[in-house]
Amino acid sequence: MTNDSFSAAASLDELLTRTQQALSAMRSRAAEHADGAPAELLRAEGSAADGRIRAVAVQGGRLESVTVDPALAGEPMETVCGHLVTAVNAALTELDARVSASARADVDALAARLGGLPEQSARDMERFGRAMEGVAARIRRDDAAGSRAARPA
């Protein structure tokens, strides 16, 4: 009996382990970004009122800062608040686009790393199947030899 069945299983186990590691790395990067320091987070800016109101949103859907030009002090509060909502929504929309692009990049990287998985898995399963056929043949031969030896002469 050869070690083909063991090497095929080990190879398949290695592929699954690499897949789990890649997914864990993606999850930990996402967790680091969600809880990370502001410098590490994705950020986006939105503005309104011809740039006189600016809002910065960071990954996790949080607002980092809002800047209002003092020249808007004479505007009605309702107008300023409307511009503020517009600036914040613009920042959140841009942030969503950046987070989506980052996630697509992570998925693309994972796909590239795992691109050969189906072919490798098929080869490993074929090798494993041949090894199991060999084991079954050997068991049949051993049983046949045992039956002949057990018969009285």
Side-chain angles (χ1 to χ4, degrees):
M1 181 170 112
T2 67
N3 285 331
D4 282 349
S5 60
F6 295 114
S7 64
S11 183
L12 188 56
D13 186 52
E14 179 185 339
L15 288 170
L16 293 174
T17 299
R18 286 192 312 217
T19 302
Q20 289 171 332
Q21 289 170 342
L23 290 171
S24 292
M26 286 176 65
R27 283 189 197 111
S28 67
R29 274 198 311 276
E32 287 170 10
H33 284 297
D35 299 331
E40 298 170 352
L41 298 174
L42 291 176
R43 59 182 18 78
E45 184 177 305
S47 65
D50 298 322
R52 294 180 293 172
I53 296 181
R54 295 190 179 283
V56 177
V58 294
Q59 192 171 358
R62 291 176 286 177
L63 197 57
E64 181 180 73
S65 66
V66 175
T67 306
V68 178
D69 186 332
L72 292 173
E75 293 288 324
M77 186 60 73
E78 187 174 291
T79 302
V80 173
C81 288
H83 290 313
L84 182 58
V85 168
T86 299
V88 169
N89 284 336
L92 291 173
T93 298
E94 176 63 23
L95 179 63
D96 186 47
R98 289 183 183 186
V99 168
S100 293
S102 176
R104 275 192 305 276
D106 283 345
V107 169
D108 290 346
L110 179 61
R113 289 178 71 184
L114 302 176
L117 183 61
E119 295 82 12
Q120 179 67 40
S121 178
R123 285 191 302 271
D124 290 345
M125 290 309 293
E126 184 180 331
R127 216 173 39 216
F128 183 76
R130 283 194 311 265
M132 291 289 87
E133 288 172 5
V135 169
R138 183 170 180 188
I139 290 171
R140 285 191 297 273
R141 280 193 312 268
D142 289 350
D143 284 347
S147 295
R148 283 193 300 265
R151 279 190 261 167

